[in-house]
Amino acid sequence: MNDAVKPQGCTNLKLRELSRVVTRHYDAYVAPTGLKNSQYSLLSHVVLLGPLRPGELAARMKLDASTLTRNLQPLIAAGWVEQGPGDDARSRSVVATEAGRAKRAEAQRAWKQAQLALNARLGNQRVVALHSLIDDCLTVLDEPETDDE
């Protein structure tokens, strides 16, 4: 790290601030569909990846199992996702219903409008740079720590 450049403030706080602002932006567009942005993301994963075991879904979304279970409940209650038997007696499977697929398609149109509006507000160059920086940070943080750090 370049010692001439010293970060100011708490990185976690700044990331959470940005996350809350961006989440509010997307929620404003997606909410009229009856979904929160987090529910849209979960439903999208189930539609695109399902049917699959809850553990696989949690791993793909980088969630712990209890968070996934809690977040699935409203989607199951609404009839958009079903949880049933898996490949063997000990496993479960998560799959989107036809109503869930339709809800996801409706929410996807709203999400697309949110995406375009955010890109327009930030500018494509800034969005591309942000995505690249986030991807780089995720790669570095996914690596095991060494004694040198």
Side-chain angles (χ1 to χ4, degrees), residues 5 39 49 60 79 117 126-127 129 133 143:
V5 177
Q39 292 171 324
L49 301 174
R60 293 290 290 269
R126 186 175 281 130
V127 172
L133 181 59
E143 295 172 357

Side-chain angles (χ1 to χ4, degrees), residues 46-92:
V46 173
V47 167
L48 296 172
L49 301 174
L52 73 166
R53 294 190 321 257
E56 293 174 48
L57 180 58
R60 293 290 290 269
M61 294 187 72
K62 298 187 186 322
L63 296 172
D64 61 65
S66 63
T67 300
L68 176 68
T69 298
R70 186 175 53 254
N71 291 347
L72 276 173
Q73 293 310 311
L75 301 180
I76 292 169
W80 299 325
V81 171
E82 290 178 343
Q83 195 168 14
D87 295 335
D88 59 51
R90 296 181 300 151
S91 67
R92 308 283 291 157

